[in-house]
């Protein structure tokens, strides 16, 4: 559902969490059964959930690379857990993820198969430069670049429409490993997936570019 840096093809692991209100029903969730669903090459999978008539459920679907970047905790709160001391490596496709959430899901209202489309919960922070070629001609090699900003570290997928769905605003530094630029055309310097609120927000971002000697330019 967002402009993609990657095509999502590296996301292969799908987990689902079924709640009675805020109580996790482990026998209906991958959390309790240790079962995971593997997505095919088209990012699709089919499976069954034995839900009961007369009950309504909150259901969370979460798909990622299973690299330990995110955890699903109490009440379905998703947390960014791997920031390495408030440091993140840019251009890291292993941080890609997709989700879908249902509140008050009534199984009696579904006939046959229910299709669910997962979308990214992120905004993408992309850094571009239009004069990289000119810098290179001057003999300067860009490397060890950093991007400093604040990121949200928690997501409540069941937040009400008029409620804030993200929290845990934290300072973070994102590193671009190796020499810049990363893109073939010399313009796209870096990309990061960052949790973002349902509406819109303004973020202050600081870009720092160093040359091969480690001096800021």
């Amino acid at each position: 559902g967002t402009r993609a840096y990657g095509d999502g093809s590296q996301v292969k692991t799908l987990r689902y969490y079924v709640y009675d209100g805020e109580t996790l029903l482990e026998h209906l969730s991958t959390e309790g059964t240790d079962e995971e669903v593997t997505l095919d090459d088209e990012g699709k999978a089919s499976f069954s959930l034995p839900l009961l008539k007369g009950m309504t459920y909150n259901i969370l679907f979460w798909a990622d690379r299973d690299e330990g970047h995110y955890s699903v905790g109490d009440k379905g709160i998703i947390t960014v857990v791997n920031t390495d001391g408030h440091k993140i490596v840019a251009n890291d496709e292993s941080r890609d993820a997709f989700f879908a959430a249902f509140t008050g899901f009534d199984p009696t209202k579904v006939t046959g198969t229910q299709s669910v489309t997962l979308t990214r919960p992120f905004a993408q922070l992309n850094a571009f430069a239009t004069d990289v070629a000119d810098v290179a001609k001057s003999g300067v090699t860009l490397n060890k670049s950093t991007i400093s900003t604040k990121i949200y570290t928690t997501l409540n997928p069941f937040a009400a429409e008029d409620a804030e769905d993200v929290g845990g605003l934290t300072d973070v530094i994102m590193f671009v490993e190796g020499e810049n630029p990363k893109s073939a055309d010399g313009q796209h310097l870096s990309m990061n997936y960052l949790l973002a609120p349902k509406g819109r927000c303004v973020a202050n971002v600081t870009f720092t570019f160093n040359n091969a000697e480690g001096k800021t330019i």
Side-chain angles (χ1 to χ4, degrees), residues 182-195:
K182 286 293 184 181
S183 62
D185 60 7
Q187 306 300 312
H188 196 182
L189 301 181
S190 69
M191 182 284 307
N192 287 278
Y193 295 117
L194 307 179
L195 287 180

Side-chain angles (χ1 to χ4, degrees), residues 57-171:
Y57 302 88
N58 294 338
I59 304 176
L60 168 65
F61 298 96
W62 180 262
D64 61 13
R65 273 270 301 270
D66 197 17
E67 298 284 344
H69 294 308
Y70 311 100
S71 68
V72 178
D74 294 340
K75 305 175 185 178
I77 301 298
I78 298 161
T79 302
V80 181
V81 296
N82 186 8
T83 57
D84 190 23
H86 306 297
K87 298 178 182 178
I88 294 177
V89 176
N91 303 318
D92 186 359
E93 282 294 331
S94 71
R95 290 185 174 275
D96 200 2
F98 296 79
F99 87 112
F102 295 88
T103 302
F105 182 83
D106 184 352
T108 63
K109 295 182 178 180
V110 177
T111 301
T113 301
Q114 171 78 42
S115 296
V116 178
T117 300
L118 279 63
T119 58
R120 287 185 174 99
F122 308 116
Q124 291 182 34
L125 177 61
N126 292 277
F128 291 86
T130 58
D131 56 357
V132 172
D134 294 333
V135 172
K137 289 178 182 178
S138 68
V140 175
T141 300
L142 299 179
N143 63 3
K144 299 180 180 178
S145 301
T146 61
I147 304 168
S148 302
T149 187
K150 291 180 180 291
I151 68 169
Y152 291 101
T153 57
T154 62
L155 169 69
N156 180 2
F158 301 121
E161 189 65 30
D162 58 349
E164 189 69 70
D165 61 333
V166 291
L169 199 60
T170 301
D171 290 303

Side-chain angles (χ1 to χ4, degrees), residues 11-15 36-41 43-47:
V11 175
K12 292 296 185 182
T13 302
L14 172 67
R15 301 179 184 87
E36 296 176 345
V37 178
T38 300
L39 302 176
D40 62 21
D41 291 340
K44 298 179 180 180
S46 298
F47 55 93

